[in-house]
Amino acid sequence: MDELDNYLPSDTICPITGLPIVPVLPKDALYGLSYVIPDINRNCLIRISTGVLIDPEIMGVLRRFKKQFGINLLMNKTVEIVITTENYLAFVAQLSAN
């Protein structure tokens, strides 16, 4: 069992939006979970670090912006979104500005 499995409710649900995901392997220490949300944008890889996934405070902040996250993902033209403990505040600031 992977240490990350202790923190995720399911490998098929986005921990921010609760929408179905398609996991992309491998899981690793820095990017604990990599996935796409095909219902919103199948061309954008989302990578969330293990540090973010195991921090209830950070995950709570991200979940408060789940609607904006979905809208941002829908409009996003980039191929990858990376959320780490170092950049999550800037990411949330970007979401709240939209």
Side-chain angles (χ1 to χ4, degrees):
M1 177 187 245
D2 189 310
E3 174 192 352
L4 186 58
D5 293 335
N6 296 327
Y7 301 101
L8 294 177
S10 168
D11 278 346
T12 59
I13 300 295
C14 172
I16 298 172
T17 65
L19 293 171
I21 66 169
V22 176
V24 177
L25 295 177
K27 291 187 214 176
D28 60 41
L30 177 59
Y31 298 113
L33 184 61
S34 299
Y35 61 94
V36 295
I37 303 176
D39 291 346
I40 298 177
N41 185 342
R42 67 178 59 246
N43 298 316
C44 185
L45 178 66
I46 302 162
R47 299 178 74 149
I48 304 177
S49 72
T50 301
V52 169
L53 292 167
I54 64 173
D55 189 312
E57 182 178 333
I58 294 174
M59 287 305 301
V61 169
L62 292 170
R63 286 183 184 122
R64 279 189 292 243
F65 289 94
K66 70 181 177 181
K67 181 179 178 182
Q68 293 91 333
F69 178 72
I71 292 168
N72 181 280
L73 188 57
L74 184 62
M75 307 298 271
N76 197 333
K77 302 295 183 207
T78 63
V79 295
E80 183 176 58
I81 294 174
V82 177
I83 306 171
T84 67
T85 54
E86 290 79 25
N87 77 353
Y88 87 94
L89 285 174
F91 183 74
V92 167
Q94 176 190 1
L95 292 177
S96 63
N98 293 334

